[in-house]
Amino acid sequence: MSEILVKAIDVTKRYANFTALDRVNLEIRKGEVCCIIGPSGSGKSTFLRCINMLERIDGGAIWVGGELLGYRRQGDELHELRDAEIARQRRHTGMVFQRFNLFPHLTALENVTEGPIHVLKEDRKAAVAHARDLLARVGLADKMDHYPSELSGGQQQRVAIARAMGMRPDLILFDEPTSALDPELVSEVLDVMKDLAESGMTMVVVTHEMGFARGVADTVAFMESGRIEEIGPAEKVLSNPDSARCAAFVRAVHK
Protein backbone atom coordinates (compact mmCIF):
# COMPACT_ATOMS: atom_id res chain seq x y z
CA MET A 1 0.00 0.00 0.00
CA SER A 2 1.34 3.44 -0.88
CA GLU A 3 1.65 6.06 1.82
CA ILE A 4 -1.23 8.33 2.78
CA LEU A 5 -0.51 11.80 1.39
CA VAL A 6 -3.70 13.61 2.48
CA LYS A 7 -5.60 12.87 5.65
CA ALA A 8 -8.66 14.85 6.76
CA ILE A 9 -10.35 14.11 10.08
CA ASP A 10 -13.66 15.70 11.11
CA VAL A 11 -12.98 18.83 9.03
CA THR A 12 -15.59 21.48 9.78
CA LYS A 13 -16.02 24.93 8.23
CA ARG A 14 -18.70 27.46 9.14
CA TYR A 15 -19.72 30.81 7.73
CA ALA A 16 -21.81 32.59 10.38
CA ASN A 17 -24.73 30.20 10.94
CA PHE A 18 -24.07 28.14 7.81
CA THR A 19 -22.05 24.91 8.07
CA ALA A 20 -20.22 24.47 4.76
CA LEU A 21 -18.27 21.38 5.87
CA ASP A 22 -19.65 19.05 8.53
CA ARG A 23 -17.04 16.63 9.92
CA VAL A 24 -15.50 15.59 6.59
CA ASN A 25 -13.16 12.58 6.68
CA LEU A 26 -10.98 11.54 3.74
CA GLU A 27 -7.70 9.76 3.04
CA ILE A 28 -5.84 10.02 -0.28
CA ARG A 29 -2.77 7.92 -1.01
CA LYS A 30 0.27 9.04 -2.91
CA GLY A 31 -0.31 8.64 -6.66
CA GLU A 32 -4.08 8.38 -6.27
CA VAL A 33 -6.68 10.38 -8.19
CA CYS A 34 -9.74 11.26 -6.14
CA CYS A 35 -12.71 12.90 -7.84
CA ILE A 36 -15.22 14.74 -5.66
CA ILE A 37 -18.70 15.03 -7.11
CA GLY A 38 -21.97 16.42 -5.84
CA PRO A 39 -24.48 19.23 -6.31
CA SER A 40 -23.58 22.92 -6.18
CA GLY A 41 -23.27 24.15 -2.63
CA SER A 42 -22.37 20.75 -1.21
CA GLY A 43 -18.96 21.91 0.05
CA LYS A 44 -16.68 20.49 -2.65
CA SER A 45 -14.79 23.67 -3.50
CA THR A 46 -14.68 24.76 0.14
CA PHE A 47 -12.98 21.49 1.03
CA LEU A 48 -10.31 22.04 -1.63
CA ARG A 49 -9.72 25.57 -0.38
CA CYS A 50 -9.26 24.21 3.14
CA ILE A 51 -6.67 21.69 1.92
CA ASN A 52 -4.79 24.57 0.26
CA MET A 53 -5.28 26.76 3.35
CA LEU A 54 -7.14 29.44 1.42
CA GLU A 55 -9.78 28.93 4.11
CA ARG A 56 -9.13 28.23 7.78
CA ILE A 57 -11.05 25.31 9.21
CA ASP A 58 -13.15 25.66 12.36
CA GLY A 59 -12.77 22.09 13.53
CA GLY A 60 -10.91 18.87 12.81
CA ALA A 61 -7.51 18.63 11.16
CA ILE A 62 -5.83 18.13 7.77
CA TRP A 63 -2.42 16.60 7.15
CA VAL A 64 -0.50 16.69 3.86
CA GLY A 65 2.65 14.60 3.66
CA GLY A 66 2.37 13.85 7.37
CA GLU A 67 2.46 17.55 8.30
CA LEU A 68 -0.44 19.13 10.17
CA LEU A 69 -1.68 22.10 8.15
CA GLY A 70 -2.05 25.54 9.66
CA TYR A 71 -1.03 24.63 13.20
CA ARG A 72 1.92 23.63 15.33
CA ARG A 73 1.38 21.23 18.20
CA GLN A 74 3.10 21.92 21.50
CA GLY A 75 2.21 19.31 24.07
CA ASP A 76 -1.59 19.19 24.16
CA GLU A 77 -2.00 22.65 22.62
CA LEU A 78 -2.33 23.79 19.01
CA HIS A 79 -0.91 27.13 17.92
CA GLU A 80 -1.79 28.79 14.60
CA LEU A 81 1.12 29.10 12.21
CA ARG A 82 2.33 32.47 10.99
CA ASP A 83 1.58 33.49 7.41
CA ALA A 84 5.14 32.71 6.31
CA GLU A 85 4.89 29.18 7.71
CA ILE A 86 1.53 28.66 5.99
CA ALA A 87 3.05 29.86 2.71
CA ARG A 88 5.84 27.29 3.13
CA GLN A 89 3.30 24.50 3.66
CA ARG A 90 1.24 25.66 0.69
CA ARG A 91 4.20 25.16 -1.67
CA HIS A 92 3.62 21.40 -1.54
CA THR A 93 0.15 21.80 -3.07
CA GLY A 94 -0.73 23.21 -6.48
CA MET A 95 -4.22 24.44 -7.30
CA VAL A 96 -5.99 24.93 -10.61
CA PHE A 97 -9.08 27.14 -10.43
CA GLN A 98 -12.20 27.45 -12.57
CA ARG A 99 -11.16 30.88 -13.87
CA PHE A 100 -7.49 30.31 -14.76
CA ASN A 101 -6.20 33.23 -12.59
CA LEU A 102 -3.25 33.89 -14.88
CA PHE A 103 -1.30 37.14 -14.64
CA PRO A 104 -2.61 39.10 -17.66
CA HIS A 105 0.59 41.16 -18.07
CA LEU A 106 2.84 38.08 -18.27
CA THR A 107 3.34 35.67 -21.16
CA ALA A 108 2.54 31.98 -20.81
CA LEU A 109 6.21 31.26 -20.12
CA GLU A 110 6.46 34.06 -17.55
CA ASN A 111 3.30 32.86 -15.80
CA VAL A 112 4.90 29.43 -15.33
CA THR A 113 8.31 30.75 -14.21
CA GLU A 114 7.01 33.41 -11.80
CA GLY A 115 6.56 31.07 -8.82
CA PRO A 116 9.72 28.97 -9.20
CA ILE A 117 11.93 32.06 -9.59
CA HIS A 118 10.39 34.35 -6.96
CA VAL A 119 8.97 31.87 -4.45
CA LEU A 120 11.20 28.80 -4.75
CA LYS A 121 14.24 30.97 -5.61
CA GLU A 122 15.21 28.67 -8.48
CA ASP A 123 17.94 29.67 -10.90
CA ARG A 124 16.26 31.59 -13.72
CA LYS A 125 17.84 29.55 -16.50
CA ALA A 126 16.76 26.27 -14.89
CA ALA A 127 13.25 27.60 -14.20
CA VAL A 128 12.82 28.73 -17.81
CA ALA A 129 14.02 25.37 -19.14
CA HIS A 130 11.59 23.52 -16.86
CA ALA A 131 8.73 25.85 -17.83
CA ARG A 132 9.41 25.28 -21.53
CA ASP A 133 9.28 21.52 -20.95
CA LEU A 134 5.99 21.84 -19.07
CA LEU A 135 4.35 24.04 -21.69
CA ALA A 136 5.44 21.59 -24.39
CA ARG A 137 3.98 18.78 -22.30
CA VAL A 138 0.56 20.48 -22.21
CA GLY A 139 0.71 21.10 -25.98
CA LEU A 140 1.64 24.79 -25.93
CA ALA A 141 5.20 24.77 -27.25
CA ASP A 142 4.16 27.34 -29.87
CA LYS A 143 2.34 29.64 -27.42
CA MET A 144 5.05 30.36 -24.86
CA ASP A 145 5.37 34.04 -25.76
CA HIS A 146 1.62 34.66 -25.96
CA TYR A 147 -0.27 36.65 -23.34
CA PRO A 148 -3.45 35.21 -21.74
CA SER A 149 -5.64 37.52 -23.83
CA GLU A 150 -4.20 35.91 -26.95
CA LEU A 151 -5.11 32.38 -25.82
CA SER A 152 -8.36 30.43 -25.84
CA GLY A 153 -9.93 29.39 -22.55
CA GLY A 154 -8.65 25.86 -22.96
CA GLN A 155 -5.14 27.11 -23.67
CA GLN A 156 -5.24 29.40 -20.63
CA GLN A 157 -6.29 26.50 -18.42
CA ARG A 158 -3.44 24.39 -19.77
CA VAL A 159 -1.04 27.21 -18.89
CA ALA A 160 -2.57 27.22 -15.40
CA ILE A 161 -1.90 23.48 -15.10
CA ALA A 162 1.69 23.97 -16.26
CA ARG A 163 2.04 26.78 -13.71
CA ALA A 164 0.85 24.50 -10.91
CA MET A 165 3.28 21.79 -12.03
CA GLY A 166 6.09 24.34 -12.17
CA MET A 167 6.10 24.55 -8.39
CA ARG A 168 6.92 20.81 -8.25
CA PRO A 169 4.02 20.02 -5.89
CA ASP A 170 3.30 16.72 -4.19
CA LEU A 171 -0.42 17.24 -4.80
CA ILE A 172 -2.54 19.18 -7.30
CA LEU A 173 -6.10 20.29 -6.53
CA PHE A 174 -8.47 20.97 -9.43
CA ASP A 175 -11.59 23.01 -8.72
CA GLU A 176 -13.97 22.26 -11.61
CA PRO A 177 -11.21 23.06 -14.13
CA THR A 178 -13.45 22.71 -17.20
CA SER A 179 -16.62 24.42 -15.96
CA ALA A 180 -15.72 27.82 -17.47
CA LEU A 181 -14.79 26.37 -20.87
CA ASP A 182 -16.76 26.11 -24.07
CA PRO A 183 -17.74 22.45 -24.61
CA GLU A 184 -15.37 21.96 -27.55
CA LEU A 185 -12.39 23.00 -25.38
CA VAL A 186 -13.08 20.64 -22.48
CA SER A 187 -11.37 17.58 -23.95
CA GLU A 188 -8.00 19.30 -24.44
CA VAL A 189 -7.83 20.10 -20.71
CA LEU A 190 -9.06 16.66 -19.64
CA ASP A 191 -6.42 15.03 -21.86
CA VAL A 192 -3.69 16.95 -20.02
CA MET A 193 -5.16 15.89 -16.68
CA LYS A 194 -5.26 12.26 -17.80
CA ASP A 195 -1.60 12.48 -18.76
CA LEU A 196 -0.82 13.89 -15.31
CA ALA A 197 -2.71 11.08 -13.62
CA GLU A 198 -0.88 8.45 -15.67
CA SER A 199 2.44 10.00 -14.63
CA GLY A 200 1.61 9.29 -10.97
CA MET A 201 0.66 12.77 -9.80
CA THR A 202 -1.62 12.78 -6.75
CA MET A 203 -4.77 14.70 -7.70
CA VAL A 204 -8.00 15.78 -6.06
CA VAL A 205 -10.50 16.86 -8.70
CA VAL A 206 -13.85 18.54 -8.10
CA THR A 207 -15.72 17.84 -11.32
CA HIS A 208 -19.02 17.20 -13.08
CA GLU A 209 -17.23 15.30 -15.85
CA MET A 210 -18.45 11.79 -15.03
CA GLY A 211 -16.60 10.22 -17.96
CA PHE A 212 -13.31 11.58 -16.65
CA ALA A 213 -14.10 10.39 -13.13
CA ARG A 214 -15.00 6.92 -14.35
CA GLY A 215 -11.95 6.55 -16.58
CA VAL A 216 -9.25 8.20 -14.46
CA ALA A 217 -10.23 8.31 -10.78
CA ASP A 218 -9.17 5.65 -8.32
CA THR A 219 -11.69 6.93 -5.79
CA VAL A 220 -14.88 8.97 -6.09
CA ALA A 221 -16.40 10.83 -3.15
CA PHE A 222 -19.98 12.12 -3.31
CA MET A 223 -20.68 15.19 -1.18
CA GLU A 224 -24.06 16.42 -0.02
CA SER A 225 -24.80 19.20 2.48
CA GLY A 226 -21.21 19.54 3.59
CA ARG A 227 -20.64 15.82 4.18
CA ILE A 228 -19.12 12.96 2.24
CA GLU A 229 -22.18 10.75 1.87
CA GLU A 230 -20.49 8.01 -0.16
CA ILE A 231 -16.93 7.16 -1.12
CA GLY A 232 -15.38 4.19 -2.86
CA PRO A 233 -13.87 2.91 -6.11
CA ALA A 234 -14.95 5.00 -9.09
CA GLU A 235 -16.82 2.22 -10.88
CA LYS A 236 -18.74 1.27 -7.73
CA VAL A 237 -19.81 4.79 -6.80
CA LEU A 238 -20.74 5.78 -10.35
CA SER A 239 -22.42 2.54 -11.44
CA ASN A 240 -23.86 1.02 -8.28
CA PRO A 241 -23.86 3.53 -5.41
CA ASP A 242 -25.31 2.62 -2.03
CA SER A 243 -26.69 6.12 -1.49
CA ALA A 244 -30.02 6.87 -3.18
CA ARG A 245 -29.05 10.56 -3.30
CA CYS A 246 -25.77 9.74 -5.05
CA ALA A 247 -27.59 7.51 -7.54
CA ALA A 248 -30.06 10.31 -8.33
CA PHE A 249 -27.24 12.81 -8.80
CA VAL A 250 -25.29 10.56 -11.16
CA ARG A 251 -28.43 9.88 -13.22
CA ALA A 252 -29.21 13.60 -13.45
CA VAL A 253 -25.66 14.51 -14.55
CA HIS A 254 -25.74 11.81 -17.26
CA LYS A 255 -29.00 13.10 -18.75
Side-chain angles (χ1 to χ4, degrees):
M1 296 290 286
S2 58
E3 65 183 280
I4 294 173
L5 185 64
V6 181
K7 187 179 184 70
I9 296 181
D10 291 339
V11 172
T12 300
K13 176 65 183 178
R14 302 183 188 91
Y15 299 99
N17 295 323
F18 174 68
T19 300
L21 298 175
D22 186 6
R23 300 188 301 276
V24 172
N25 293 277
L26 183 66
E27 289 184 355
I28 300 168
R29 297 186 177 277
K30 187 175 182 179
E32 185 176 28
V33 178
C34 175
C35 283
I36 303 178
I37 63 173
S40 297
S42 60
K44 307 182 301 296
S45 295
T46 300
F47 184 48
L48 286 197
R49 292 176 65 83
C50 289
I51 295 174
N52 204 32
M53 292 179 289
L54 297 173
E55 300 279 358
R56 281 196 176 271
I57 62 176
D58 297 308
I62 303 172
W63 289 262
V64 173
E67 186 173 8
L68 178 64
L69 298 186
Y71 297 90
R72 180 180 63 258
R73 185 180 295 277
Q74 289 184 332
D76 293 332
E77 295 184 351
L78 289 177
H79 301 271
E80 287 192 0
L81 296 182
R82 298 189 301 271
D83 288 346
E85 294 173 302
I86 288 175
R88 177 191 59 79
Q89 289 188 332
R90 192 179 284 132
R91 292 177 193 174
H92 298 286
T93 302
M95 189 156 181
V96 178
F97 300 87
Q98 298 178 33
R99 290 286 177 179
F100 323 139
N101 289 0
L102 299 177
F103 295 113
H105 62 291
L106 300 181
T107 65
L109 184 66
E110 290 167 339
N111 264 281
V112 179
T113 59
E114 181 76 4
I117 291 172
H118 297 289
V119 178
L120 300 182
K121 307 301 182 184
E122 284 188 11
D123 172 75
R124 179 177 293 275
K125 184 176 180 180
V128 168
H130 187 221
R132 287 183 178 279
D133 288 342
L134 291 174
L135 287 167
R137 180 175 174 181
V138 300
L140 295 174
D142 60 337
K143 303 292 183 182
M144 295 188 189
D145 296 324
H146 286 59
Y147 290 91
S149 62
E150 300 172 315
L151 302 174
S152 70
Q155 290 168 339
Q156 289 184 63
Q157 193 63 294
R158 285 186 278 157
V159 173
I161 293 172
R163 180 181 60 182
M165 293 163 59
M167 295 295 286
R168 306 179 192 274
D170 300 315
L171 166 73
I172 299 185
L173 310 172
F174 293 85
D175 187 9
E176 299 194 40
T178 61
S179 65
L181 300 179
D182 292 332
E184 64 267 24
L185 302 178
V186 168
S187 62
E188 66 187 55
V189 173
L190 293 181
D191 285 344
V192 170
M193 293 171 64
K194 290 175 186 176
D195 177 69
L196 263 186
E198 290 169 359
S199 75
M201 174 59 70
T202 310
M203 299 161 55
V204 185
V205 185
V206 169
T207 185
H208 289 294
E209 299 289 341
M210 296 297 108
F212 174 85
R214 188 184 299 274
V216 178
D218 300 290
T219 302
V220 170
F222 171 72
M223 290 191 70
E224 170 81 347
S225 302
R227 295 186 176 188
I228 292 181
E229 186 166 310
E230 181 155 354
I231 185 168
E235 188 62 31
K236 170 69 172 65
V237 173
L238 297 176
S239 296
N240 189 28
D242 297 321
S243 160
R245 180 67 186 93
C246 180
F249 174 81
V250 172
R251 284 197 301 273
V253 171
H254 276 306
K255 283 184 178 179

